[in-house]
Structure formats: structure tokens, C-alpha cells
Amino acid sequence: MNTLTQEPARAVIDRLFAAATAQEDAPPAWPAGWSHAETTAQERADLLAEIYMPVSVPGCRLLYALTRATRPPTVVEFGTSYGISTLHLAAAVADNGTGHVFTTELSRVKVAAATANLTEAGLADQVTVLEGDALTTLRDVPAPIGLLVLDGWKELCLPVLRLLEGKLPPGALVIADDTTFESMADYLAYVRAPANGYVSVDFAVEDGMEISCRVPQ
Ligand SMILES: C[S@@+](CC[C@H](N)C(=O)[O-])C[C@H]1O[C@@H](n2cnc3c(N)ncnc32)[C@H](O)[C@@H]1O
């Protein structure tokens, strides 16, 4: 079974990727009032509520494959947006016949859109979409977390990893997107330092993904 190739999920995923690509080709005007340094995470999420910013096509296929391979009981995602990566995680959980995805998003507009997309794809039962700040919403997700995807605002990837680290069993996978961004430097330094308990490898796709396997010392 591969839900990614089946309707209705296939059509929803194709439509969302097409919309994201069209947006990247003709980006909307940068929102008035934008200043990275002077906006909170919530303000940025609201200002950028119409922007998809998805994990790449091969990156999403990788998320599906890793979830199928590892059969995690709990999948956690930081940064839902319109649900493109979430749909791939949910499809894998559905095809595994076990597990559940917890994903979190600051933008209310995006939470509604992602929920509608998951429902249309027939994958809503596999996912809990948590509205709010990941540092709060993810506090009580159930352990063990077999697979963690980090794709929210980059400066929060390390704090979110540290929040959830105690729930990552040996062998758990952590996948972070956009590792070529300067703002990922502290995260990469952390997961690449063996003393912190990860074996970490760069997966060179689009803006870069880091795959880190939990190997506590
Ligand atoms: C790069 S996009 C996620 C793209 C998504 N993974 C996909 O493949 O379609 C990052 C998202 O993280 C959300 N976000 C940023 N900081 C957050 C936080 N502290 N808590 C929850 N969501 C956050 C943003 O609003 C934005 O929609």
C-alpha cells in the first residue's frame, strides 16, 4: 500500500505542491511592516500566513520512506504550514497501520487550511494539529517519539529538540529542514557534536536536510 500514489491523497498533494511552486515563481509582495529582528514568532507566522514554504518533493518522499521504515508509534512535527510534509507523514502512518502524527502551527489560518487538506486527503484520523507555540503545544506529546521533524522558525529548532529530547529513545530519528540557512548553525553544531548523543548526516536536497539518529552516550 502506498497512499501517496492513491486518490484522494495524490490529488491534494499535487495541488498543494503546484500552488507552492507557483507562489515561489511569482512571490507575493513582502508583507508591510516586516522586520525579522523586530517581530515575534507569532507576528511572523501571521504576516507569512499565505506563504507555503514546504519541504521539497524529494524531502517529503524521504519523510514518507523514513516513517515507513521505522514504524514510529509517535511522529512529531514542528511547523505544519499548509500540511504538505504532514500529509506525507500521515500517509506513512496510515500505510504502517500504526502510529500517530502530532504537528503544531502558530498561524490560525494555516491550522484551518492544513486540517481541511488532511480531511480532503482522507488522513485526518492519523493527525492531531496543535495550534500554538511548539514550545508549549508539544510539551505533553506522548513518548516514545520515534520520528521528529523540525521545520518551524529556524532559531526555535534547537529549543524544540531540547524540549523533546527526553522522549527520544535510542534509534529515534530527527530530521531538520533548511540546514543551509545561517540560522540553523547552532542546531547543526549541537547535533553534530558526538557528546550530545546523535549520529548526524547532511542529506543534500534543496535547502538541505539534517538526519540525526539518537544514540545516547
Ligand atoms: C517552513 S514552514 C513549514 C512547512 C511545512 N513543514 C510543509 O512542508 O509544508 C514553517 C511553519 O512553522 C510555523 N511556526 C514557526 N514557529 C512556530 C512555533 N513556535 N510554533 C508553531 N509553529 C511555528 C510557521 O508559522 C510556518 O507556517
Side-chain angles (χ1 to χ4, degrees), residues 5-184:
T5 62
Q6 315 277 316
E7 301 304 342
R10 180 72 267 151
V12 177
I13 289 169
D14 285 350
R15 188 189 71 226
L16 292 172
F17 268 130
T21 302
Q23 192 176 65
E24 279 160 24
D25 291 346
W30 210 236
W34 171 265
S35 156
H36 190 98
E38 289 167 24
T39 47
T40 64
Q42 181 70 59
E43 286 166 342
R44 261 181 281 155
D46 292 336
L47 284 166
L48 300 175
E50 286 179 18
I51 314 292
Y52 285 81
M53 301 179 272
V55 172
S56 65
V57 171
C60 279
R61 278 209 304 272
L62 179 70
L63 294 182
Y64 176 88
L66 292 176
T67 308
R68 287 301 304 269
T70 56
R71 298 176 62 79
T74 299
V75 177
V76 174
E77 178 182 52
F78 164 45
T80 319
S81 193
Y82 283 77
I84 294 181
S85 50
T86 320
L87 284 158
H88 290 75
L89 298 169
V93 161
D95 294 345
N96 283 343
T98 182
H100 193 79
V101 180
F102 295 85
T103 185
T104 191
E105 172 54 56
L106 270 175
S107 159
R108 180 162 297 180
V109 171
K110 285 183 167 179
V111 167
T115 303
N117 291 331
L118 288 159
T119 302
E120 186 184 346
L123 292 167
D125 287 351
Q126 280 73 26
V127 183
T128 301
V129 184
L130 300 163
E131 182 183 330
D133 183 349
L135 290 170
T136 302
T137 57
L138 297 181
R139 264 188 210 146
D140 297 324
V141 291
I145 300 168
L147 193 128
L148 170 62
V149 178
L150 299 171
D151 191 29
W153 299 154
K154 303 308 154 188
E155 72 276 13
L156 296 175
C157 287
L158 184 53
V160 171
L161 176 65
R162 297 303 303 273
L163 172 75
L164 299 174
E165 204 159 53
K167 294 182 178 179
L168 298 174
L173 292 178
V174 184
I175 302 126
D177 198 28
D178 301 323
T179 51
T180 55
F181 292 15
E182 245 175 63
S183 45
M184 286 297 279

Side-chain angles (χ1 to χ4, degrees), residues 179-204:
T179 51
T180 55
F181 292 15
E182 245 175 63
S183 45
M184 286 297 279
D186 62 341
Y187 176 85
L188 294 176
Y190 182 82
V191 292
R192 289 175 182 176
N196 290 324
Y198 296 90
V199 171
S200 202
V201 60
D202 176 39
F203 182 70

